[in-house]
Amino acid sequence: MNASLVIKELRQWDVGTVLENEPLSRHTSFRIGGPASVYVQPHSEEHLVRLLDWVYSHQIPYFILGQGTNILVSDRGFEAVVISTSRALRYVRVERERIEAGSGVLLTKLAHKAHQAGLQGLEFAVSIPGTLGGALVMNAGAHGSEMRNLVEQISIWEPGTGVRILRGNEAGFDYRQSQFMMHQWIALRAVMKLAVGDMPVILNNMRHFMDYRKRTQPVGNANAGSVFKNPQPNYAGRLIESIGAKGWYVGDAMVSPVHANFIVNRGSASACDVLILMRRIRCHVFQRHNILLRPEVRWIGPGEGGTEGTWENLWYREGGGLQAPCE
Ligand SMILES: Cc1cc2nc3c(=O)[nH]c(=O)nc-3n(C[C@H](O)[C@H](O)[C@H](O)COP(=O)(O)OP(=O)(O)OC[C@H]3O[C@@H](n4cnc5c(N)ncnc54)[C@H](O)[C@@H]3O)c2cc1C
């Protein structure tokens, strides 16, 4: 990809903010990640769709970034057009029991909007720090609820097809995954159906969930939430705690003493530090419990698509497959 040519073209259209070699550590909750060769924040949904059509037809690699709260970006950065939804897709509309929102809206904001409208069902989202788009892709959830329970329809951009509507039950929602990854769909907006509720009860639930988080998760250190998925019916945090990993560290990446399934960046952790620590945890858990932990955090880097299979390749490539002794 010739970044200079891409930037020149995009600036001619006035697509939005266009930056060259933008450090992605500025746009991830881990505060980790090398530069994106091109970083774009389109002005509007229309600009975003035009940009997607253009990069797709020119076979230019691209990546959609929400709030960056569920990704680990390579230290080498990403040779691609990284497209942020945070400006173009931030509207919210409430109509009776439905909320329609752009995929760049923060989940926290959506939960508060629902409360203001006396609608229940989004309380669980009040302390999940990502965008609606990221939450759809990941089928984000907490406290026994998840996105799939609410989503009625989604407006998506599909490679080669363009914009179309998807019904909620066509999105393939499953535990912390969906068909978005498989088909490289981009979420533009979604309609969620909630239920009329009692405002004080809704507020009380939201406060309860926020308090619970403050007590049980590391607050104040950069992190990307749960690193591994729960291998149901087990909990990744409990398995990691059982091998005594709380406090383990590589460089500035440390297993949180507060919650074992969180890795925190104490200052200048690199993606490589996190990767080595994850591999070590996974290896010890496997040897002790014969359970293979699968990452919830998505890996973003050169030549990688962020799938679980790619994590396997990464670990093997670095010489640390399951048969290798735990470091
Ligand atoms: C402190 C902390 C607590 C957390 N707690 C929870 C929790 O309780 N439950 C939970 O489920 N998650 C939790 N998370 C993880 C994270 O917040 C969620 O997965 C969130 O939904 C990710 O949204 P995002 O906008 O940050 O996505 P990003 O991290 O920016 O992206 C995640 C993936 O979604 C893709 N994506 C983003 N937007 C779009 C779009 N519009 N269209 C297509 N693809 C898109 C990206 O390409 C990437 O592959 C937590 C994270 C942190 C830091």
Side-chain angles (χ1 to χ4, degrees):
M1 181 181 82
N2 185 329
S4 305
L5 281 182
V6 170
I7 288 171
K8 198 171 160 206
E9 173 77 21
L10 297 183
R11 289 200 172 132
Q12 272 171 10
W13 306 351
D14 187 25
V15 67
T17 305
V18 181
L19 303 172
E20 188 169 6
N21 277 330
E22 174 67 2
L24 289 175
S25 54
R26 290 188 189 153
H27 305 279
T28 62
S29 59
F30 244 147
R31 300 275 167 264
I32 291 174
S37 26
V38 182
Y39 174 89
V40 190
Q41 236 180 353
H43 290 307
S44 66
E45 188 175 312
E46 203 187 343
H47 287 95
L48 170 65
V49 169
R50 185 174 171 202
L51 174 59
L52 288 168
D53 287 339
W54 187 77
V55 286
Y56 180 73
S57 64
H58 287 80
Q59 296 182 321
I60 294 168
Y62 61 93
F63 175 75
I64 292 284
L65 183 68
Q67 200 68 6
T69 62
N70 204 47
I71 53 175
L72 176 60
V73 180
S74 159
D75 300 314
R76 285 184 285 159
F78 202 29
E79 200 180 322
V81 178
V82 172
I83 305 169
S84 161
T85 57
S86 64
R87 195 188 282 174
L89 303 163
R90 291 205 100 145
Y91 64 89
V92 185
R93 195 162 59 95
V94 182
E95 204 177 310
R96 294 175 187 245
E97 291 163 31
R98 289 182 172 76
I99 296 191
E100 180 175 13
S103 66
V105 176
L106 296 180
L107 279 191
T108 317
K109 182 172 175 188
L110 272 184
H112 285 289
K113 282 274 181 195
H115 165 241
Q116 284 158 14
L119 296 176
Q120 70 177 40
L122 260 171
E123 298 94 303
F124 76 92
V126 70
S127 44
I128 302 181
T131 61
L132 172 61
L136 291 168
V137 172
M138 300 304 303
N139 184 27
H143 312 289
S145 290
E146 51 190 7
M147 293 306 293
R148 76 166 133 194
N149 303 336
L150 312 171
V151 176
E152 220 173 42
Q153 71 174 46
I154 312 166
S155 166
I156 61 163
W157 177 90
E158 182 171 63
T161 306
V163 178
R164 73 177 179 95
I165 301 290
L166 199 68
R167 285 195 305 273
N169 61 9
E170 293 171 324
F173 290 127
D174 206 338
Y175 172 58
R176 299 300 167 267
Q177 64 180 29
S178 68
Q179 288 291 312
F180 273 79
M181 301 172 192
M182 183 80 81
H183 299 289
Q184 293 159 11
W185 291 330
I186 306 299
L188 302 174
R189 55 175 84 186
V191 178
M192 286 146 285
K193 185 163 187 297
L194 304 174
V196 174
D198 184 29
M199 282 178 86
V201 174
I202 298 169
L203 186 61
N204 200 37
N205 283 341
M206 287 177 13
R207 286 197 176 134
H208 173 69
F209 294 152
M210 286 190 285
D211 286 348
Y212 178 80
R213 259 175 212 260
K214 277 188 205 138
R215 280 187 280 114
T216 58
Q217 294 182 4
V219 182
N221 279 118
N223 68 75
S226 297
V227 173
F228 295 102
K229 294 184 186 186
N230 289 323
Q232 288 157 343
N234 273 299
Y235 289 94
R238 284 189 199 152
L239 294 170
I240 299 169
E241 198 166 344
S242 77
I243 57 161
K246 275 186 170 177
W248 283 4
Y249 63 91
V250 174
D252 260 351
M254 183 177 79
V255 179
S256 166
V258 182
H259 191 312
N261 198 21
F262 279 60
I263 289 179
V264 296
N265 175 3
R266 295 184 295 178
S268 55
S270 63
C272 192
D273 294 338
V274 176
L275 208 55
I276 293 171
L277 194 51
M278 286 175 70
R279 191 173 68 204
R280 189 174 295 171
I281 292 167
R282 192 169 180 257
C283 188
H284 282 271
V285 167
F286 184 71
Q287 291 196 348
R288 173 85 163 265
H289 298 285
N290 207 29
I291 292 175
L292 201 51
L293 291 178
R294 300 196 179 280
E296 180 169 325
V297 169
R298 304 197 71 202
W299 166 258
I300 310 300
E304 318 296 348
T307 62
E308 285 174 3
T310 326
W311 281 102
E312 295 296 333
N313 297 341
L314 258 178
W315 276 310
Y316 280 99
R317 201 171 63 212
E318 307 231 338
L322 284 176
Q323 307 314 317
C326 293
E327 298 164 63

